[in-house]
């Protein structure tokens, strides 16, 4: 074969590549076409070196140079087109993926803590700021902790005040968080200053009672603790919960585990004490039970009642929530009706 002939063939290949490239419109197309052209067995350029053998020796160097030239020419063409297409493709992708940051966001629906949880958190915060620690009691208790150790022995009439769910003759669902007092006094030495929030259970069911409800127990044991300390603490508590103008009043009452025992009323935060529907015309609303810890209870827990005295209180969390948020049926606290719950966000 003559060099001329080959040179002509090279020129043809070159123009054919030019024509083919004019048809290609993407970097992927360039990638595939480049592979085909450069293939060492079948590629138009890749296989050119195979022709070398058909030439006379003196012509080979010249031919090799020509082939290299055309290969470099093709590479440069492919590279340039590849860069051009890639840039176009990236621009198109960015345009397609563009986000309109000026669109208004979808409104997130905000969740609410349950009113009981809100009240519980508020009470914990108030007593926490007075230095109380939290004790978490057990929902399943023994008869001893729930009753006997709280000076409510078997056959004591006070047992009838609380209709109890017994699990067995010994075990029961606690009817009062007061059971936790005993665990604390058995395991800690005075000074003791705890609150204990939790669920309690009684077989009771009407507009203001539910078989399961929540209480917050309070217990302070130290030297020289008196009913005055109780009143001082509760004054702070009710002002924070019901408003600065709220006053307290202690009325004599009876609980087996306290002596003396009191019922704590607050001045009606709706009418300010004049008398309204909420306070049933009395100007006062009963909010909790409390008292000085009965010596018998202290002694039963191994605390010397000649050295130490204590005070205790039991707050009904549901009751406070109902009063505070104007809920007149305790069932509303358990129905999970969002129309009610969404209104309470303290
Ligand atoms: N445990 C009482 C109840 O459930 C409430 C109570 C009253 C708790 C007086 C106390 C207290 O600690 O001193 O009815």
């Amino acid at each position: 074969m003559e060099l001329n002939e080959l040179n002509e063939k090279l020129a043809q290949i070159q123009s054919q590549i030019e024509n083919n490239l004019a048809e290609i419109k993407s970097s992927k197309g360039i990638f595939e076409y480049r592979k085909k052209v450069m293939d060492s067995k079948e590629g138009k350029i890749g296989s050119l070196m195979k022709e070398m053998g058909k030439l006379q020796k003196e012509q080979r160097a010249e031919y090799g140079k020509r082939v290299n030239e055309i290969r470099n020419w093709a590479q440069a063409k492919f590279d340039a087109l590849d860069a051009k297409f890639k840039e176009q493709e990236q621009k198109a992708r960015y345009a397609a993926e563009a986000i309109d940051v000026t669109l208004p966001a979808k409104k997130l629906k905000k969740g609410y803590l349950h009113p009981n949880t809100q009240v519980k958190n508020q009470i914990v915060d108030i007593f926490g700021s007075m230095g109380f620690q939290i004790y978490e009691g057990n929902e399943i208790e023994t008869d001893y902790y729930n009753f006997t150790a709280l000076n409510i022995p078997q056959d004591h009439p006070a047992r009838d005040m609380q209709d109890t769910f017994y699990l067995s003759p010994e075990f029961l669902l606690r009817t009062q968080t007061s059971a936790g007092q005993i665990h604390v006094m058995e395991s800690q030495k005075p000074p003791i200053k705890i609150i204990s929030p939790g669920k309690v259970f009684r077989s009771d069911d009407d507009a203001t009672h539910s078989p399961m409800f929540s209480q917050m127990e309070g217990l302070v044991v130290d030297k020289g603790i008196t009913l005055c300390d109780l009143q001082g603490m509760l004054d702070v508590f009710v002002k924070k919960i019901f408003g600065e103008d709220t006053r307290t009043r202690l009325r004599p009452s009876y609980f087996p585990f306290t002596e003396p025992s009191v019922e704590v009323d607050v001045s009606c935060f709706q009418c300010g004490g004049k008398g309204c529907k909420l306070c049933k015309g009395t100007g006062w609303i009963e909010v909790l039970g409390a008292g000085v810890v009965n010596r018998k209870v202290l002694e039963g827990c191994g605390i010397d009642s000649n050295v130490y005295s204590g005070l205790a209180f039991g707050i009904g969390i549901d009751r406070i929530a109902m009063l505070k948020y104007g809920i007149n049926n305790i069932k509303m606290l358990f129905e999970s009706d969002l129309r009610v719950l969404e209104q309470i966000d303290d």
Side-chain angles (χ1 to χ4, degrees), residues 162 175-176 178 181 202 215 217-218 255 257-258 289-291 312-314:
Q162 302 177 359
T175 60
Q176 46 189 352
S178 307
Q181 287 187 26
R202 290 180 203 176
Q215 286 187 333
E217 195 75 12
F255 299 104
F257 35 90
T258 44
F313 54 90

Side-chain angles (χ1 to χ4, degrees), residues 77-245:
K77 273 238 150 243
F78 293 145
D79 286 347
L81 283 170
D82 183 56
K84 184 180 126 192
F85 288 136
K86 277 197 172 137
E87 196 189 319
Q88 282 174 2
E89 284 157 8
Q90 193 181 52
K91 267 193 193 145
R93 209 182 77 222
Y94 285 171
E97 289 175 0
I99 297 167
D100 181 358
V101 289
T102 64
L103 269 183
K106 266 193 199 155
K107 264 217 160 131
L108 276 184
K109 225 173 159 10
K110 177 171 157 247
Y112 297 85
L113 288 177
H114 191 275
N116 270 0
T117 309
Q118 294 184 38
V119 168
K120 184 192 87 180
N121 291 347
Q122 289 162 15
I123 303 178
V124 165
D125 282 351
I126 295 168
F127 286 103
S129 73
M130 295 186 218
F132 280 73
Q133 294 191 320
I134 295 182
Y135 170 78
E136 294 218 18
N138 316 312
E139 289 177 7
I140 293 178
E141 270 298 355
T142 61
D143 185 275
Y144 175 78
Y145 284 98
N146 195 77
F147 291 126
T148 312
L150 287 161
N151 194 32
I152 317 174
Q154 207 75 47
D155 304 325
H156 191 288
R159 289 210 180 197
D160 297 340
M161 287 158 68
Q162 302 177 359
D163 236 332
T164 310
F165 291 112
Y166 276 92
L167 304 174
S168 71
E170 190 190 354
F171 289 100
L172 47 82
L173 296 180
R174 69 173 169 199
T175 60
Q176 46 189 352
T177 45
S178 307
Q181 287 187 26
I182 306 301
H183 288 289
V184 172
M185 286 191 281
E186 278 181 355
S187 61
Q188 296 178 28
K189 297 240 164 308
I192 290 170
K193 205 171 176 187
I194 60 104
I195 44 173
S196 181
K199 295 191 186 88
V200 297
F201 307 85
R202 290 180 203 176
S203 179
D204 216 350
D205 203 2
D206 60 32
T208 52
H209 296 90
S210 150
M212 185 209 73
F213 59 106
S214 303
Q215 286 187 333
M216 174 90 66
E217 195 75 12
L219 175 71
V220 180
V221 182
D222 204 349
K223 289 175 184 161
I225 296 290
T226 71
L227 213 52
C228 292
D229 298 305
L230 178 78
Q231 179 139 30
M233 276 178 345
L234 294 180
D235 275 345
V236 173
F237 163 66
V238 299
K239 282 184 199 307
K240 291 225 169 116
I241 287 283
F242 295 115
E244 276 305 312
D245 298 331

Side-chain angles (χ1 to χ4, degrees), residues 251-266:
R251 267 183 304 113
S253 185
Y254 173 74
F255 299 104
F257 35 90
T258 44
E259 180 58 38
S261 302
V262 293
E263 209 86 58
V264 180
D265 295 343
V266 294

